[in-house]
């Protein structure tokens, strides 16, 4: 197959932990041809969407020389067997606009994973509200008084922006309320932007578990991302340590409930975040942790992805 990856610039990949690299490596080992393009490479000309794509070859190394550009060409996305969306957040206006262009391509026959309309419909923070049976007490608002009241009720809370990634902008406000006002001002831009407040989950000390769903299939291992000392964020990008482990009974209950629903909505790859017994995020843009799970357990996550993709296209 010819596979086009919509991603961030390849030069910025951290190969030792990059899940997009894992997918490309698996695809190359299966004999598929690999292409890549970035957000700024998308073009709408009249009714036609095309992209300036680089055909790449993997060199077999895992340093900055990990790929060579084979050729560069303009191509309609419908000419590929599959377009795999791996663009990292923030899900800003440019990201939103790119989903509109991708959707125009889909109407011309492009096969895009995850589906562009599904990306727009599933904010990575807000989607948990569609599954309230798995959600801790949560408030989304830009109103300072409501956020203060939420803290007064639950005493120990997490505040976070709605469109960031990697733990960016996450605050814990304890019982003393220290810095509550400052955190609210910063995150809401003084009342202009909605933020999410959640009751703090003490089980974070055992890790923020990433559970992967692939075309409705549940990967049997999670990566528990354990915060470093003095941190509340388990994200690997924030210095957390990854520990692969079998899914708990509750993890599997959550995953098996959401997997068929989300797959039916056009979400081929999803990364659930679970702390203790609670679903905290539904990641749909570029879920990670493929390499860590594979290295620690031997389970080939990228292989399952390619198996399911090959069956689908």
């Amino acid at each position: 197959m010819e596979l086009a990856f919509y991603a961030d610039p390849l030069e910025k990949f951290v190969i030792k932990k990059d899940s997009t690299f894992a997918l490309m490596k698996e695809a190359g080992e299966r004999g598929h041809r690999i292409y890549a393009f970035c957000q700024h490479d998308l073009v709408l000309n009249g009714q036609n969407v095309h992209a300036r794509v680089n055909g790449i070859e993997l060199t077999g190394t895992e340093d900055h020389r990990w790929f060579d550009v084979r050729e560069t060409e303009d191509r309609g996305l419908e000419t590929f067997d599959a377009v795999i969306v791996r663009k990292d957040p923030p899900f800003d206006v440019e990201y939103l606009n790119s989903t509109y262009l991708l959707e125009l391509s889909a109407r011309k026959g492009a096969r895009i994973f995850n589906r562009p309309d599904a990306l727009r419909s599933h904010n990575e923070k807000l989607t948990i509200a569609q599954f309230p049976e798995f959600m801790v007490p949560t408030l989304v608002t830009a109103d300072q008084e409501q956020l203060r009241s939420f803290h007064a009720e639950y005493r120990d809370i997490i505040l976070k922006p709605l469109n960031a990634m990697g733990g960016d902008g996450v605050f814990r406000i304890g019982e003393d309320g220290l810095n509550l006002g400052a955190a609210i001002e910063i995150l809401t831009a003084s009342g202009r932007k909605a933020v999410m407040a959640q009751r703090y989950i003490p089980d974070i000390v055992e890790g923020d578990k990433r559970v992967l769903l692939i075309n409705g299939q549940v990967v049997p291992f999670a990566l528990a991302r354990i915060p470093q000392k003095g941190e509340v964020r388990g994200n690997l990008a924030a210095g957390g340590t990854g520990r692969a482990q079998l899914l708990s009974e509750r993890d599997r209950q959550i995953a098996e409930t959401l997997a068929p629903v989300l797959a039916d909505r056009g979400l081929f790859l999803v990364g659930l975040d679970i702390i203790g017994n609670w679903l905290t995020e539904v990641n749909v843009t570029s879920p990670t942790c493929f390499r860590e799970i594979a290295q620690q357990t031997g389970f080939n996550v990228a292989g399952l992805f390619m198996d399911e993709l090959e069956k689908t296209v």
Side-chain angles (χ1 to χ4, degrees), residues 4 15 44 81 120 273:
I15 297 305
L44 170 64
D81 293 286
R120 288 198 303 273
D273 286 351

Side-chain angles (χ1 to χ4, degrees), residues 23-193:
L23 289 171
M24 290 179 171
K25 184 172 183 287
E26 182 71 24
E29 290 173 352
R30 295 181 182 219
H32 303 314
R33 290 172 67 84
I34 304 167
Y35 299 79
F37 65 96
C38 297
Q39 190 166 267
H40 62 265
D41 294 316
L42 280 166
V43 176
L44 170 64
N45 188 348
Q47 297 181 343
N48 299 313
V49 176
H50 59 92
R52 188 74 168 168
V53 300
N54 288 322
I56 65 170
E57 299 281 357
L58 274 60
T59 63
T61 64
E62 296 199 8
D63 56 26
H64 67 282
R65 299 163 298 180
W66 66 272
F67 72 96
D68 290 322
V69 175
R70 189 175 60 243
E71 75 269 342
T72 301
E73 55 186 325
D74 287 309
R75 284 184 59 172
L77 299 185
E78 71 279 0
T79 66
F80 294 99
D81 293 286
V83 177
I84 300 168
V85 178
R86 295 291 304 170
K87 172 74 179 73
D88 284 343
F91 200 103
D92 54 14
V93 172
E94 285 302 305
Y95 205 129
L96 177 66
N97 288 339
S98 75
T99 68
Y100 294 129
L101 297 182
L102 292 172
E103 190 168 14
L104 288 171
S105 289
R107 292 178 183 176
K108 296 248 179 199
R111 290 159 292 232
I112 301 174
F113 306 87
N114 289 326
R115 221 169 59 201
D117 60 320
L119 289 172
R120 288 198 303 273
S121 298
H122 294 83
N123 177 279
E124 297 190 322
K125 306 295 190 295
L126 294 174
T127 298
I128 62 172
Q130 299 181 34
F131 306 94
E133 67 271 34
F134 302 129
M135 185 173 67
V136 295
T138 297
L139 173 72
V140 176
T141 183
D143 184 80
Q144 175 176 314
E145 292 310 312
Q146 291 190 61
L147 290 166
R148 287 185 176 278
S149 295
F150 188 84
H151 176 262
E153 181 176 1
Y154 292 105
R155 310 307 299 170
D156 197 353
I157 68 171
I158 294 291
L159 293 172
K160 56 187 175 182
L162 297 178
N163 294 299
M165 64 168 287
D168 286 352
V170 175
F171 290 82
R172 178 186 177 186
I173 307 297
E175 189 168 352
D176 59 8
L178 189 64
N179 291 324
L180 175 60
I184 290 173
E185 288 175 14
I186 292 169
L187 292 178
T188 68
S190 297
R192 295 190 300 275
K193 298 168 80 172

Side-chain angles (χ1 to χ4, degrees), residues 8-29:
D8 291 304
L10 304 186
E11 297 82 4
K12 296 184 178 180
F13 282 23
V14 181
I15 297 305
K16 66 180 182 180
K17 64 177 185 176
D18 197 283
S19 296
T20 306
F21 170 77
L23 289 171
M24 290 179 171
K25 184 172 183 287
E26 182 71 24
E29 290 173 352

